[in-house]
Amino acid sequence: HSGVVKRRSKSQSYRRSIRTCFGVASGLGLTPALTARRMNTSRKAPRSQNITEKVKPEHLELLVKTEWQLSYVTPLYQFRHTQLKSYSRQLSAFIAAEKQEGLAVEVGGLQNTFKVSFSVLQGLAETSDDPETVLIQVQSKPMFARQEDPPKTVWCGWLSCINGNPEYLQSLPKDFTCLPLFCSKGAEDLSSLVKSWLQRTFDCCFGPLDINQTTLQWLAALWTNCHMETNIQNLKMIWTLPVLPPLQVTYTVDSDDVLDLWRSTRESSAEKSREAEDEVCIDFSEVTRFMQGLMSHFYRHFRVDLSAGELNQVSSALGSAKVNGKIKISSSRYLISIFSLLTECALLKMPI
Amino acid sequence: VDMATQLNLSDSDSSDLSDQSVFTRRSNRSLRIAEQERRKKEEEDPFVLALKYFSEVEAGTPVTGNDELENNLVRVEKVAFSRGLSPEAISVMLDFAMSLRMGNPCARVLKCLLPASVVPQEAVVRAIVWLTVRKLPISTQTLHFLVLVLFQCPFICHLLYLLTRKENGKPGFDIYFSGRQPYLLYLLSLYKVFCPELVTLSIPSRMKSGFKNHISPWKSALITVQKRNDMQVASSISLAFAVRDKTASRKRKHAHLELPSLSPVTITEPQAAQSSSRKLVPMQQIQSFAQLLQNMHRIELPAQMGSLLGSSLALQYLDCVQDESALLRLNFWLGYTLHEEFLFCSDGGANKNPEEALQFLNRLLSVQHFLQEGFNSSDAFMYKFLNVWDGSLLRPQILGLLSNIPVIPSSQIKTLLFDPLMQLFFTSSLFFKCGLIECLNHMLLKWLTWHSAYALEDDLDISLNSHTNITLSGFKDSVMELVHFVGRLASVGLQLEGCHSLLLSFILDFYETVCDTFLKFGLPLVVMPPPGVFYPAFFAADPVSVDRLAFIMHRWETIHLVQSKPWNWYLEYLFTQGFDGLKDFVQNSINQRVMMAGDGCDNVTQSQKLGSAPHIKQPLLS
C-alpha cells in the first residue's frame, strides 16, 4: 500500500487536464455524422479466418449460433487470470445465497444448487495488449432432476477485448484489466447477479451496449462484402418508421443483387480500389452510399423513404444484429472481425 | 429538620477542624453541604429510586398487577428515551432482565436499554453468562433486542473473536444452522465487517429488510438520544442494519445514482494476507479524523470507490494519498454514472427521476467544493454534455460543475467550451445569460486561484508531447481567450437584452475579477471592457452600474506599473474606432424602445434625445 504522500504538483494537474481535453476533443460528437468520425472511418474488410486452430472446438460451439446480449464494462481492478478458481467459489456462494433467502452460504462448502466455473477462453485475443477472454458458466440441477443427471448450464457469459485500441489499453495502470465487451445469455436475474458480484468485487460498472445505426450499417456493408467469399444467402434489414401506428419494414435483398450494388458503390471511388487484395479498406463514405443506394431503390418501388426511420436489425446467413444489443454470429469465420467491431463500440462507451 | 441536620453536621465537623484556618473551614463546609445536598437529591430522585428497586427486587415477585414495578419501569423508560441510560443503569437493568427474577425478560425492558454512552463490558459478560446458564426460552423478538443491545458494546466483536479463536488464530467454530435464523445472520454480517477474513460466508443482501419492522423505532430512538448527547452515531448500527430507502430505486432498471455501500474488500490475495505483518484497517471503520491520522499508513480502500463520495473523511484521505489506481476507479464510477444518467439515456432518464439526479449533482458539487477541484471524469462529461444540454435541465448544478473545469489549453478552448456555450447563450433566457456570465466569472476566479496557489513551482515548462508545450504563456493565453470570449458574449448579450441592468451587473462583476488578474493574482494581463460593455454601463439608466464602472476605472488607474494611464489609451482607442460601439449602442437602444413601446410620439422624442446626446467631451480624452 502506498505510504508516499506527495502533494499534487501543478504540472500533474495540468497534464491531467490536457489529457482529458485532448481525449474528449478527438472523440467529441454525439450526432451520427460526428460519431462516424470518432469510430474508425475505414476498416479492413473481414477476411475469412479459420480460427478453429486457435480456439477450442467446444468453445467455438458455445460462441456461434447463440444470441448474445451485449453490455460494456469499465476496466476491472485487480482481476487475476490466475485466481479463477477462487472467483468460481465466491460467485457460486453469492448466487446461492441471493437465490435462497434467509440462509448464509459457506464459500467453498458443498451446495448443490449452483455451480459456477470461470475459465479462460483462449484464442480470441488478437494483439499482445488484449487480455485473455474470460468465460463464466453457471450450472444448476433442474428442480426435479434425478441425482445422476448432469447439471445443466443455465447461464453463460464472457468478457473479452478483441483488437482493442492499443493506445487506450496501454494508458491504463497495470492493476486494471480492460475487458470491455460482456456477452451474456440466460435468465435475466442470473445476469444481474453475476454483474452485481463483478461490480462489487472488481469495482467496475456495467452498462447496456446498444448497437447504433452506424454500427448496423457497417455490419450490413461488411457482411455484403463477405459474400465474395462466403454465401450470405440474403441481406435482411428491419426498419421502423415513426408513424402511427408504427410501421415495420422488412427489407430483404438477394445476396447476389446486394453484392452487385456494393461493388458498384465501391467502383465509384476508383482511386481507392486499386490496392493489393489482402489490404482492402472500406471507408465509411462507401457504406453511406451503399445504404443510400438501398434506400433509394426501396423508395423507387414503394414510395417510402426509409431514411426517415431507424434501422433496427440487420441479418444474413453470417449472423444477426439488433439495435437493442443482441448479436448472433452464425459462422466462426468472421467471428474475430465482428467482435473487433463490437469491442470498438464498447470502448467508445468508456467514460474516460 | 433538614436545617437542623445540616447545622449539627457542620458543628461536629467544625470542632474537628478547629486548627484549620477559617477560610478553609468555611470552604470545606460549603463543599460538604453541596455534597450532602446532591446525595439527598439523588436519593430522592425517582430515577435512582427506580434503579434501586430493580437491583434489589427479589425473585418471585409477581409481575402482573404490580403497580410499583410499573411505575419504576415508566420512570426508567422516561430517562432512557430522553437522554439514555448511564453505564451503571444499563448494568442494573440488563442484570434484572437476564436474571429472570421476574419471569421472562420482556421486550419492554430490553427496549429501554438505550445507552447514553457505552454499554459496559461487565454487563455484557454477565448477560451472556445468564444466557448460557439459565437456558432460557427466549422469543425471537426479545433476542433481536438483546442482540442489538449487546452490540452497542464495542468489545462484543472482540469478545466473539476471542471466544471463537483457536490457538493458531484460526476460527474455532463452524456454524451449522438450519432454517431461518435472521438474528444470527445479522450477527454474522456485523462480525464480517470487523473480521472479514474469518467469515467465509456469503450473506444474502436482502435479508436485512426483515429486521426493519422491529427495530426501526428503536433505532431512531437510539439515534435521537445519541445525537442529543452529541455523540457520533455508532457506526456498527448503521453498518449492519442500514436500511436504505430502496422503495423507488428497486423499481428502476438502472440504479446508477445510488452510491455503492462502503464495504470492505472481500477477496484478499492469499499471499498478501499472511505475509503482511500489519493489519490493514478498512476505511469504513474510520470514524473520526483522529482515527484517520492514527491509521494513515494502513488504511484499506473499500471495494467500490464510488462509496467514498459519501464520506468527507475518506475524501480527505484520498486527496492526500495520490493513489492513481484509486482515483481512476473513482473516476470510472463517476464518469459511468454521469454518462448513463445524462448522456446515454434514450428514454429521458434524467427527466424520469429529477429529484435523485438533483441530489446526486448536489453531492458531487459539494465534494468538488470540499476538494477544491473537479474530477477528470466530470470534466470529460461536461465537455460532451454541453453539446446536448438544453440550458434548463438542472441549470444551477450544471453551471456549478462547469465553473469547476480546470484550465483548458487555448488550442482546445474554442471547440470544447466556446462553441457550445455560444449556442446556448444566444438562444436562452435572460436568467440563463446571467447565470452563465456568473459561472464564467467563477471559472476565471478559480483558474487564477489555481495559478497563484502553484505560483511557487518554477518548472512550468510542461511538454506533454511534441505539439503541446504549456508554459506560463499558455496559461495566460487561456485566460485571455476566456476574457475576450466573455467580452463578446457580454456585448451581444446586452444588445439582445436591451442593456438589462441585471445582466449588466453580472458582467461588471466579471470585469471586477478581470481587474484582479493583475492586482490580486499577479498575472500580467490588462484587459479592458469592450465598447459593447463600456457604453451600456456608461450611459446606464441606473446609478449603480455607472458607479461600478467608475470603480473599475479607478482600480485600473492605480496600476502605474503596466501602462501609465490605461484609461487614456482605452478612450483613445474608442476614439480611433469612430465610436462604432457607441453608434451600435444608440441604435440598439432606439430599436429596443421602438420594439417595446406602443406609443409613437414618445419614441420619437426619446430617439431625438439619444441622437443628440453623445458628444464625447474633450476632458475624457486628456
Side-chain angles (χ1 to χ4, degrees):
Chain A
H1 191 70
S2 74
V4 177
V5 176
K6 60 179 181 25
R7 197 74 194 97
R8 201 187 352 260
S9 67
K10 179 177 190 170
S11 55
Q12 252 181 309
S13 298
Y14 223 150
R15 215 174 275 132
R16 275 215 320 241
S17 161
I18 307 297
R19 204 180 290 153
T20 317
C21 293
F22 277 108
V24 173
S26 68
L28 202 61
L30 294 149
T31 60
L34 292 172
T35 317
R37 205 187 301 147
R38 184 177 180 181
M39 269 183 80
N40 283 338
T41 46
S42 80
R43 48 185 83 244
K44 288 208 286 278
R47 313 297 306 184
S48 164
Q49 281 176 304
N50 190 355
I51 60 171
T52 47
E53 274 138 47
K54 287 205 292 170
V55 185
K56 286 194 205 143
E58 61 262 21
H59 283 155
L60 270 182
E61 212 182 286
L62 200 62
L63 295 176
V64 300
K65 297 196 178 43
T66 318
E67 189 167 67
W68 299 101
Q69 177 71 51
L70 297 173
S71 313
Y72 71 90
V73 195
T74 57
L76 290 87
Y77 180 65
Q78 287 191 337
F79 179 87
R80 306 265 178 270
H81 283 86
T82 48
Q83 298 242 349
L84 297 181
K85 278 219 167 39
S86 160
Y87 299 155
S88 311
R89 282 200 296 272
Q90 303 254 353
L91 184 54
S92 307
F94 179 77
I95 294 180
E98 292 288 323
K99 283 272 186 191
Q100 303 165 26
E101 292 173 56
L103 281 183
V105 179
E106 193 188 344
V107 174
L110 296 166
Q111 45 95 0
N112 292 327
T113 41
F114 290 97
K115 178 165 144 33
V116 175
S117 77
F118 274 72
S119 52
V120 172
L121 213 158
Q122 282 187 324
L124 287 183
E126 282 283 287
T127 68
S128 57
D129 291 313
D130 289 342
E132 287 290 348
T133 304
V134 177
L135 177 67
I136 310 173
Q137 285 173 298
V138 178
Q139 293 171 327
S140 104
K141 283 220 175 105
M143 277 266 241
F144 300 105
R146 294 178 302 227
Q147 270 302 92
E148 56 274 13
D149 275 350
K152 238 170 43 118
T153 303
V154 290
W155 187 91
C156 178
W158 47 291
L159 290 155
S160 71
C161 179
I162 301 177
N163 271 319
N165 186 335
E167 257 180 51
Y168 184 79
L169 292 174
Q170 283 162 13
S171 71
L172 294 171
K174 290 284 174 283
D175 284 338
F176 287 89
T177 309
C178 184
L179 290 163
L181 191 62
F182 177 68
C183 306
S184 62
K185 94 171 144 128
E188 183 56 41
D189 56 341
L190 277 174
S191 286
S192 56
L193 283 178
V194 173
K195 284 187 195 170
S196 142
W197 182 82
L198 287 168
Q199 279 177 330
R200 280 191 221 188
T201 318
F202 303 110
D203 204 3
C204 55
C205 307
F206 282 80
L209 181 62
D210 298 329
I211 305 183
N212 60 11
Q213 299 287 294
T214 315
T215 317
L216 284 172
Q217 289 174 0
W218 267 117
L219 283 170
L222 293 176
W223 274 331
T224 310
N225 198 71
C226 292
H227 185 61
M228 294 198 275
E229 292 174 332
T230 321
N231 187 7
I232 67 168
Q233 281 166 18
N234 56 27
L235 183 71
K236 184 168 97 161
M237 292 165 284
I238 300 183
W239 301 79
T240 48
L241 292 165
V243 292
L244 280 172
L247 188 64
Q248 188 176 293
V249 172
T250 308
Y251 183 9
T252 311
V253 191
D254 183 62
S255 49
D256 295 318
D257 296 334
V258 77
L259 185 59
D260 283 339
L261 176 65
W262 174 242
R263 278 212 176 105
S264 66
T265 317
R266 297 215 68 213
E267 268 160 21
S268 50
S269 61
E271 325 84 63
K272 285 211 184 130
S273 49
R274 301 294 145 246
E275 286 166 31
E277 268 309 296
D278 54 336
E279 268 298 313
V280 177
C281 268
I282 303 173
D283 194 70
F284 189 66
S285 56
E286 294 171 304
V287 175
T288 330
R289 278 204 300 278
F290 170 66
M291 293 304 300
Q292 273 165 0
L294 283 170
M295 289 192 278
S296 61
H297 180 81
F298 193 84
Y299 182 76
R300 225 176 296 129
H301 285 267
F302 299 102
R303 289 281 176 251
V304 172
D305 189 4
L306 289 172
S307 64
E310 228 182 56
L311 182 56
N312 271 11
Q313 186 179 329
V314 175
S315 51
S316 70
L318 295 177
S320 74
K322 297 186 190 152
V323 78
N324 58 2
K326 287 195 169 25
I327 186 104
K328 182 159 98 167
I329 302 292
S330 309
S331 156
S332 68
R333 292 222 198 119
Y334 300 98
L335 191 99
I336 300 284
S337 20
I338 303 300
F339 279 104
S340 304
L341 175 64
L342 293 173
T343 306
E344 199 181 314
C345 292
L347 279 175
L348 288 179
K349 293 266 198 171
M350 293 294 120
I352 46 162
Chain B
V1 171
D2 291 344
M3 282 286 285
T5 331
Q6 278 181 8
L7 279 167
N8 283 338
L9 283 168
S10 58
D11 280 341
S12 55
D13 283 340
S14 63
S15 58
D16 289 333
L17 305 163
S18 50
D19 46 346
Q20 286 188 359
S21 72
V22 178
F23 178 73
T24 44
R25 232 182 297 149
R26 214 172 281 155
S27 61
N28 280 341
R29 183 165 47 201
S30 50
L31 273 174
R32 273 198 305 282
I33 292 171
E35 180 69 27
Q36 279 151 28
E37 277 179 19
R38 192 185 63 81
R39 221 177 294 146
K40 194 132 277 189
K41 222 184 241 146
E42 258 190 14
E43 279 161 28
E44 287 175 355
D45 182 11
F47 174 60
V48 174
L49 286 173
L51 276 186
K52 201 150 161 266
Y53 173 81
F54 282 114
S55 61
E56 288 169 356
V57 71
E58 296 276 320
T61 320
V63 175
T64 49
N66 189 336
D67 284 337
E68 207 186 344
L69 172 70
E70 183 63 32
N71 290 337
N72 287 323
L73 195 52
V74 163
R75 281 191 208 123
V76 172
E77 277 176 344
K78 208 167 84 169
V79 174
F81 283 105
S82 62
R83 58 172 195 268
L85 298 177
S86 64
E88 301 83 41
I90 299 256
S91 256
V92 165
M93 295 307 296
L94 193 54
D95 217 31
F96 165 72
M98 299 311 293
S99 59
L100 293 182
R101 269 174 284 177
M102 303 186 69
N104 241 335
C106 58
R108 192 178 162 195
V109 175
L110 290 173
K111 249 193 249 193
C112 68
L113 292 178
L114 290 167
S117 51
V118 287
V119 171
Q121 247 176 314
E122 315 77 44
V124 169
V125 174
R126 270 210 302 278
I128 295 181
V129 168
W130 283 122
L131 252 179
T132 48
V133 161
R134 290 290 175 115
K135 293 186 179 36
L136 12 97
I138 301 184
S139 73
T140 318
Q141 205 193 30
T142 321
L143 200 54
H144 284 172
F145 284 111
L146 188 59
V147 164
L148 286 171
V149 170
L150 294 184
F151 269 80
Q152 290 308 302
C153 173
F155 295 104
I156 185 68
C157 292
H158 192 62
L159 181 66
L160 256 179
Y161 172 65
L162 290 172
L163 285 174
T164 59
R165 195 186 51 167
K166 268 202 203 144
E167 294 294 310
N168 54 0
K170 292 227 170 56
F173 75 107
D174 296 314
I175 294 185
Y176 291 110
F177 52 91
S178 59
R180 296 157 187 246
Q181 297 184 327
Y183 44 87
L184 278 176
L185 282 180
Y186 305 141
L187 232 144
L188 279 172
S189 63
L190 193 53
Y191 191 19
K192 187 165 181 166
V193 164
F194 286 91
C195 309
E197 65 275 11
L198 290 178
V199 184
T200 54
L201 294 178
S202 193
I203 297 180
S205 52
R206 261 178 298 163
M207 53 150 209
K208 291 178 184 120
S209 55
F211 219 27
K212 182 168 64 149
N213 299 330
H214 295 305
I215 71 155
S216 52
W218 187 87
K219 189 178 95 155
S220 45
L222 174 64
I223 292 173
T224 320
V225 161
Q226 288 187 324
K227 275 212 177 106
R228 229 175 260 165
N229 294 346
D230 243 354
M231 270 177 61
Q232 223 177 6
V233 178
S235 68
S236 49
I237 284 285
S238 31
L239 279 173
F241 309 123
V243 176
R244 278 196 301 215
D245 181 18
K246 281 190 157 260
T247 45
S249 55
R250 206 176 283 175
K251 310 276 191 332
R252 287 172 55 212
K253 227 172 50 151
H254 312 293
H256 328 291
L257 294 176
E258 269 179 50
L259 260 53
S261 55
L262 195 68
S263 57
V265 174
T266 46
I267 298 178
T268 47
E269 309 257 308
Q271 60 273 18
Q274 258 84 55
S275 63
S276 67
S277 52
R278 51 163 201 219
K279 188 177 188 302
L280 291 175
V281 178
M283 177 59 86
Q284 66 192 127
Q285 285 185 24
I286 304 293
Q287 299 304 320
S288 67
F289 194 64
Q291 264 185 318
L292 179 70
L293 289 176
Q294 267 178 339
N295 296 303
M296 193 66 145
H297 54 288
R298 54 194 183 116
I299 287 186
E300 186 185 53
L301 290 166
Q304 288 180 282
M305 289 300 287
S307 53
L308 290 189
L309 288 181
S311 151
S312 57
L313 272 179
L315 289 169
Q316 276 175 327
Y317 175 70
L318 199 65
D319 197 34
C320 268
V321 176
Q322 290 289 304
D323 188 351
E324 201 189 335
S325 297
L327 280 171
L328 190 57
R329 283 161 65 190
L330 183 55
N331 274 303
F332 271 132
W333 180 83
L334 183 60
Y336 159 80
T337 308
L338 289 168
H339 278 71
E340 278 293 327
E341 191 60 32
F342 300 105
L343 280 178
F344 294 156
C345 52
S346 52
D347 50 352
N351 296 326
K352 274 195 183 159
N353 45 313
E355 195 47 50
E356 293 188 23
L358 182 75
Q359 279 179 11
F360 180 76
L361 287 182
N362 278 336
R363 165 132 36 161
L364 180 59
L365 275 172
S366 66
V367 167
Q368 291 191 340
H369 179 71
F370 179 79
L371 291 174
Q372 290 290 299
E373 69 169 1
F375 293 102
N376 273 8
S377 45
S378 72
D379 300 338
F381 163 73
M382 282 308 300
Y383 300 140
K384 290 184 204 168
F385 189 61
L386 283 178
N387 288 290
V388 290
W389 188 37
D390 63 355
S392 67
L393 177 71
L394 299 165
R395 184 193 307 151
Q397 283 74 28
I398 299 294
L399 287 178
L401 285 176
L402 185 59
S403 69
N404 283 330
I405 285 183
V407 182
I408 306 176
S410 46
S411 54
Q412 302 295 323
I413 200 168
K414 183 172 182 304
T415 35
L416 287 181
L417 198 64
F418 295 165
D419 289 341
L421 285 183
M422 260 203 296
Q423 240 184 344
L424 282 167
F425 188 79
F426 295 126
T427 55
S428 62
S429 66
L430 173 73
F431 298 107
F432 179 82
K433 291 188 173 75
C434 294
L436 186 61
I437 300 284
E438 189 192 21
C439 161
L440 294 173
N441 186 10
H442 289 158
M443 190 192 288
L444 177 65
L445 205 54
K446 284 175 192 172
W447 287 9
L448 293 170
T449 314
W450 173 86
H451 166 76
S452 67
Y454 289 106
L456 296 168
E457 287 191 28
D458 297 322
D459 177 17
L460 294 167
D461 196 11
I462 304 148
S463 45
L464 186 64
N465 47 41
S466 54
H467 50 265
T468 51
N469 203 352
I470 313 293
T471 59
L472 172 64
S473 66
F475 174 69
K476 259 178 55 183
D477 285 341
S478 300
V479 171
M480 191 83 110
E481 291 277 349
L482 180 63
V483 176
H484 284 318
F485 173 65
V486 175
R488 287 199 302 276
L489 281 187
S491 309
V492 185
L494 282 171
Q495 274 191 352
L496 286 174
E497 298 290 340
C499 308
H500 199 284
S501 44
L502 184 64
L503 182 60
L504 191 57
S505 155
F506 280 101
I507 292 170
L508 290 174
D509 274 339
F510 180 80
Y511 279 100
E512 276 178 36
T513 313
V514 174
C515 287
D516 286 341
T517 52
F518 182 78
L519 294 169
K520 252 210 277 190
F521 295 99
L523 196 67
L525 268 185
V526 176
V527 188
M528 316 294 272
V533 171
F534 174 75
Y535 288 117
F538 197 56
F539 293 119
D542 63 298
V544 179
S545 308
V546 185
D547 177 61
R548 294 183 70 186
L549 181 66
F551 173 68
I552 295 174
M553 289 167 77
H554 172 73
R555 290 202 80 191
W556 279 125
E557 281 190 336
T558 63
I559 305 170
H560 295 296
L561 292 166
V562 184
Q563 299 189 16
S564 46
K565 280 183 187 146
W567 276 102
N568 258 4
W569 163 84
Y570 181 63
L571 292 165
E572 276 177 27
Y573 157 74
L574 286 179
F575 184 64
T576 54
Q577 293 291 305
F579 299 113
D580 282 337
L582 182 56
K583 286 190 205 142
D584 282 339
F585 165 71
V586 168
Q587 197 57 44
N588 190 51
S589 304
I590 295 171
N591 291 342
Q592 285 283 340
R593 290 207 164 77
V594 167
M595 276 197 299
M596 280 191 292
D599 197 346
C601 334
D602 277 285
N603 287 338
V604 173
T605 344
Q606 289 279 2
S607 64
Q608 276 178 346
K609 278 201 194 138
L610 278 168
S612 58
H615 287 305
I616 303 297
K617 308 210 173 22
Q618 284 303 311
L620 271 176
L621 295 175
S622 63

